[in-house]
Amino acid sequence: MQELGRLAILILLLGLAFTLVGLIVGRLRDPRRGVRRALRAAVAIEPRPLLVAGRSGVGLDLAGGHVAAAWDAGEWRLVWPLAALDAVELIVDRQIVARAARGSGGRPADRLDEPDESAQLRFVFDDPDQPEFVLGLWRPNDPARSIARDPEAALAEGRAWSSRIEAIRRRAQATPPPRVQPQVPVVPE
């Protein structure tokens, strides 16, 4: 009878150990953690704000002036200077419904209908090699690649990012560039 108790405890401990190992492996292989890790490595600090949707993500380093994008669970990443960001567009069912663009007043999202097909956030850069990065916000029947199960929450997040980029653009235009003082040569007497 004593051996039966020991066997039950041994089986319980083995089950607990396998569960713990499974949780650790699952946490390490989580694609969202890989994207966050890649974005953190790209800009050398924790990017704020940060948007992760499935196996892709975008982060801003406002202090350093960088935009970082990662995809394929963080296997690939790119970093652009914040000044190279030309526009951010909120695309719902293949229609641009909001835009924050350099040199224009932008187009705020006044009325957003619930998407049938998809909602995406498109970042447009002044870079001939990588001119854009598209981040899927919501797709029906694909919650693993969406930021929210609810399309309204995904649209709210897209609208917030569009407004955020518009505010960054306004602030950059309001701040005059630093004036460079010409150096007067010093003539020794």
Side-chain angles (χ1 to χ4, degrees):
M1 192 65 150
Q2 221 174 15
E3 291 178 19
L4 189 60
R6 287 183 191 161
L7 181 63
I9 290 174
L10 181 63
I11 290 173
L12 181 68
L13 288 175
L14 281 174
L16 186 63
F18 279 122
T19 302
L20 186 62
V21 168
L23 287 173
I24 290 171
V25 168
R27 183 165 168 84
L28 291 176
R29 296 195 53 172
D30 180 19
R32 293 173 193 247
R33 285 182 50 87
V35 169
R36 284 189 180 96
R37 196 171 28 250
L39 292 173
R40 197 176 317 116
V43 294
I45 63 166
E46 183 71 31
R48 294 281 182 226
L50 175 71
L51 180 61
V52 177
R55 299 173 53 88
S56 302
V58 171
L60 297 179
D61 171 18
L62 297 177
H66 294 98
V67 179
W71 63 98
D72 283 344
E75 294 294 322
W76 298 92
R77 66 177 184 242
L78 284 173
V79 178
W80 295 271
L82 192 56
L85 182 61
D86 280 340
V88 173
E89 300 170 341
L90 178 59
I91 303 169
V92 176
D93 293 336
R94 299 182 188 166
Q95 299 291 321
I96 297 173
V97 296
R99 175 183 288 143
R102 182 187 332 195
S104 71
R107 187 167 91 191
D110 295 330
R111 183 174 124 309
L112 290 177
D113 295 327
E114 192 170 298
D116 296 325
E117 184 178 313
S118 68
Q120 300 172 327
L121 200 57
R122 179 175 174 242
F123 294 82
V124 181
F125 296 97
D126 183 18
D127 181 359
D129 293 329
Q130 297 291 330
E132 68 180 13
F133 180 75
V134 179
L135 184 66
L137 298 177
W138 180 82
R139 291 185 185 144
N141 305 321
D142 195 3
R145 297 182 68 184
S146 302
I147 63 164
R149 294 186 187 279
D150 180 15
E152 289 180 21
L155 289 178
E157 188 68 36
R159 185 175 32 236
W161 270 80
S162 179
S163 298
R164 183 176 289 127
I165 298 301
E166 186 67 31
I168 291 169
R169 287 276 158 229
R170 278 194 307 267
R171 184 176 291 167
Q173 289 173 353
T175 307
R179 294 177 59 177
V180 177
Q181 297 291 335
Q183 296 290 332
V184 179
V186 178
V187 179
E189 293 181 25

